[in-house]
Amino acid sequence: MNIDTNSLISIAEANQDFAKVARIVDETGSAIILKNNTPRYLVIDFHQTEQERQIPDEDILAISKRLLEQNLEAYKELAK
């Protein structure tokens, strides 16, 4: 993961000026809040999480196929 140094902000500064954190997220896509000079928290745009949570239909079909193949004997037994 590449970290844009412009997206780093200390926890003290984030506490004093959360609007600045929001501006950083709007400009760079994320903000990394440092605690004791170590990356601790990641703030990202809400819509970005929605996009990442969606699984393409092809992936769902591949997972379903794999599960069916792995458990074929159990499914045959249940079908009796």
Side-chain angles (χ1 to χ4, degrees), residues 67-80:
L67 289 173
L68 284 171
E69 290 171 355
Q70 287 176 347
N71 301 296
L72 185 59
E73 293 303 316
Y75 288 126
K76 286 181 180 178
E77 189 64 32
L78 289 171
K80 290 181 182 179

Side-chain angles (χ1 to χ4, degrees), residues 4-47:
D4 181 359
T5 56
N6 294 324
S7 68
L8 301 175
I9 187 166
S10 71
I11 196 164
E13 191 173 3
N15 188 38
Q16 295 293 318
D17 190 4
F18 192 78
K20 182 175 182 178
V21 176
R23 275 193 307 277
I24 291 170
V25 172
D26 289 340
E27 292 169 2
T28 65
S30 65
I32 299 169
I33 300 175
L34 305 172
K35 186 174 184 179
N36 297 326
N37 291 323
T38 304
R40 180 66 186 229
Y41 305 102
L42 175 65
V43 181
I44 60 173
D45 186 280
F46 181 77
H47 296 291

Side-chain angles (χ1 to χ4, degrees), residues 53-79:
R53 294 180 106 192
Q54 294 177 353
I55 300 173
D57 288 340
E58 296 138 13
D59 290 346
I60 293 171
L61 293 174
I63 292 168
S64 298
K65 183 178 178 182
R66 181 174 43 87
L67 289 173
L68 284 171
E69 290 171 355
Q70 287 176 347
N71 301 296
L72 185 59
E73 293 303 316
Y75 288 126
K76 286 181 180 178
E77 189 64 32
L78 289 171

